[in-house]
Amino acid sequence: MKADPAAQRRLLDLAEVDAELTRLAHRRRALPEHAELTEAEARVRTSKDAVVEAETAAGDLDRDIRRLERDVEGVRARTEKDRAVLAGSGVSARQAADLQHELETLARRQAVLEDEQLEVMEQREALGGNLDHARRVLAEAEEHLQAVAGRRDTALADIDAAEAGRRRDREAILPDLPADLLGAYEQRRGQGRVGAGLLRERRCGACRLELDRTFLGRVRAATADDVVHCEECGAILVRTGESGL
């Protein structure tokens, strides 16, 4: 294949643009914010689970407290009723003894319920502090997640802008390249390899390897419009005044 030396040199501009696009793509994949975001999302999930667990436990205790309050009120109501009957007229000695025994039983029952109620209320108070703490931790985790996501989005926007600029540069270069030269270059890029490199001081700019003297002799003998490929990596080897030939 032959191509005008100026077109071959222009190919180096395209290779530089593509190298920058490759670096930008790697930067996009390797943004530290990606890992930070994963960690922050995990922290939010863990914090939400802790809040749900504390809220569930608090709800259970609240139901216990309401149940105990109803039980205590029931005992008090029965106690007041028995006392009213006992204070009334026409109560026999046997009825009075039975009522007195029931009042003693109710008093013991009320004391047990009130002790249980106090214990549950103390548990609820302690859990309230834990719940408040869990909610604060969740709020902090969500705030951190938003901050990381914001930094990630800003970094991605910068990369998007840089990529857009380099793609415009690429589009501006393409018309300067003959179809066969561009085709050979793009074929190598399609294989995931560098398409072209500058020959400088016996080294290929694509693979960075020092080239054999015999091969360099053949390159030296080639005409300026001959398209030469690196014997090591196969990239189009562009010769300029820096090549030292």
Side-chain angles (χ1 to χ4, degrees):
M1 181 191 304
K2 290 184 178 295
D4 185 271
Q8 294 190 46
R9 288 192 293 272
R10 189 65 166 144
L11 193 63
L12 289 177
D13 295 333
L14 182 61
E16 180 181 348
V17 168
D18 285 337
E20 178 62 18
L21 286 170
T22 298
R23 286 191 290 269
L24 288 168
H26 173 74
R27 180 183 164 198
R28 180 188 296 277
R29 293 190 301 270
L31 279 177
E33 286 81 5
H34 290 322
E36 287 185 59
L37 200 61
T38 299
E39 293 177 2
E41 288 170 342
R43 180 182 171 191
V44 167
R45 287 194 298 271
T46 300
S47 299
K48 283 183 177 179
D49 289 344
V51 169
V52 169
E53 182 179 351
E55 287 177 340
T56 300
D60 291 342
L61 290 175
D62 287 338
R63 283 192 295 273
D64 288 343
I65 290 172
R66 289 192 296 271
R67 175 182 57 78
L68 289 167
E69 287 175 345
R70 289 193 300 270
D71 290 347
V72 169
E73 286 302 316
V75 170
R76 287 175 178 168
R78 183 57 183 266
T79 298
E80 290 175 3
K81 180 179 178 182
D82 286 355
R83 284 175 177 169
V85 172
L86 188 62
S89 59
V91 177
S92 67
R94 178 63 181 272
Q95 287 179 311
D98 290 342
L99 287 170
Q100 188 61 45
H101 175 72
E102 184 170 324
L103 285 171
E104 292 172 357
T105 300
L106 289 171
R108 289 194 296 271
R109 175 61 177 162
Q110 181 174 336
V112 169
L113 288 173
E114 288 176 343
D115 287 344
E116 186 177 350
Q117 184 181 27
L118 179 60
E119 181 181 352
V120 174
M121 291 177 68
E122 289 174 348
Q123 292 176 4
R124 179 62 179 85
E125 183 178 359
L127 185 58
N130 293 338
L131 179 56
D132 290 342
H133 174 72
R135 286 171 173 164
R136 286 195 301 271
V137 170
L138 174 58
E140 291 170 0
E142 290 176 332
E143 183 178 352
H144 177 65
L145 175 61
Q146 291 177 353
V148 174
R151 285 192 282 110
R152 188 275 313 272
D153 292 344
T154 298
L156 288 177
D158 290 343
I159 293 173
D160 288 342
E163 284 182 338
R166 299 311 279 167
R167 293 192 187 284
R168 287 193 296 270
D169 293 340
R170 195 177 200 277
E171 291 301 316
I173 294 170
L174 294 182
D176 299 337
L177 301 173
D180 54 352
L181 181 65
L182 179 60
Y185 172 86
E186 295 288 21
Q187 182 179 15
R188 283 191 50 78
R189 287 190 66 249
Q191 298 168 350
R193 298 185 289 177
V194 178
L198 171 65
L199 174 60
R200 177 190 288 130
E201 298 177 355
R202 299 178 59 186
R203 290 185 180 276
C204 169
C207 63
R208 310 296 180 183
L209 294 177
E210 185 172 336
L211 302 175
D212 178 77
R213 289 181 180 275
T214 301
F215 172 74
L216 289 173
R218 294 198 301 271
V219 172
R220 194 177 295 113
T223 61
D225 61 351
D226 281 333
V227 176
V228 178
H229 292 265
C230 173
E231 67 172 352
E232 298 291 343
C233 68
I236 296 172
L237 202 56
V238 180
R239 293 160 288 163
T240 70
E242 302 179 53
S243 299
L245 297 175

